[in-house]
Amino acid sequence: MIISTLREKFPTHSFIGEESAAAGEKVELTDNPTWIIDPVDGTTNFVHGFPFVAVSIALSVNKEVVVGVVYNAILDQMFTGQLGKGAFMNGKPIHVSGQEDLSQSLLISEFGSSRDKEKMDLVFSNLGSFLNEKNSAHGCRLLGSAALDMCQIAIGGGDMYYQYGIHVWDIAAGALIIREAGGVVWDTTGRNGELCGTPQVGTSPNLQLFCTLLG
Ligand code: IPD
Ligand code: CA
């Protein structure tokens, strides 16, 4: 429905969607205006009735995201960002917390969906490096929607978020919203969070995301 509505208005634009990729469509980010869509981020939450579920839509032009929208229909929270024009929740300007001290920070992360042992070992060891006797965040939350995790950072409801092995449709809109809210986004190479990193699985572009938000 999202793709057909947009395609009617913008017939020359391209699309990258989680469901289209799952159906075997080739995923390719070009300079052409491209809508990057996750119709349901937080699928497991949706199945269980946990109210942390969103539609995430981003528009990239010349491989740069210029518009991002993340909508949690259950809580009626609409997060929006436009390149150079700020970030908003339900029309009101939002800003990251500005917290720079790990011990005072609320960390947000995710387990991800794979239960592969090597991947889970990495997830637990990453969490351990932020939650231990010597070096610890104030708290940690794993809420089940990467897009909404990023919006939590954008409203200052969390101070940093990371996830290893994530897809472009999970974070394209959220990353712009964070930046427009005054935060920063990095990938694991230390670069400025390239939208599509090295593909890890099949044709899906994965962003090896490591983002820390220091305000
Ligand atoms: C997932 C969620 C989850 C994250 C996974 C994503 P989905 O998206 O964002 O929080 O940990 O990596 O794949 O499958 O619910 O659209
Ligand atoms: Ca998703």
Side-chain angles (χ1 to χ4, degrees), residues 195-206:
L195 264 187
C196 293
T198 316
Q200 272 186 327
V201 186
T203 54
S204 298
N206 271 274

Side-chain angles (χ1 to χ4, degrees), residues 67-122:
V67 169
V69 177
V70 174
Y71 182 50
N72 180 339
I74 301 170
L75 301 180
D76 193 21
Q77 292 179 333
M78 171 81 83
F79 301 91
T80 54
Q82 200 179 339
L83 189 62
K85 298 204 170 151
F88 304 85
M89 186 181 94
N90 293 345
K92 295 198 176 122
I94 54 177
H95 208 273
V96 296
S97 68
Q99 182 56 254
E100 293 187 28
D101 179 349
L102 179 68
S103 68
Q104 299 300 311
S105 296
L106 187 63
L107 164 68
I108 302 178
S109 189
E110 291 293 340
F111 290 120
S113 40
S114 163
R115 293 294 172 261
D116 170 80
K117 185 175 179 319
E118 207 180 329
K119 163 87 192 300
M120 288 313 285
D121 286 349
L122 187 65

Side-chain angles (χ1 to χ4, degrees), residues 38-77:
D38 188 345
V40 184
D41 188 56
T43 316
T44 308
N45 287 345
F46 183 74
V47 168
H48 288 271
F50 188 86
F52 215 61
V53 178
V55 180
S56 173
I57 303 177
L59 172 65
S60 86
V61 177
N62 296 323
K63 300 196 183 79
E64 182 173 35
V65 174
V66 293
V67 169
V69 177
V70 174
Y71 182 50
N72 180 339
I74 301 170
L75 301 180
D76 193 21
Q77 292 179 333

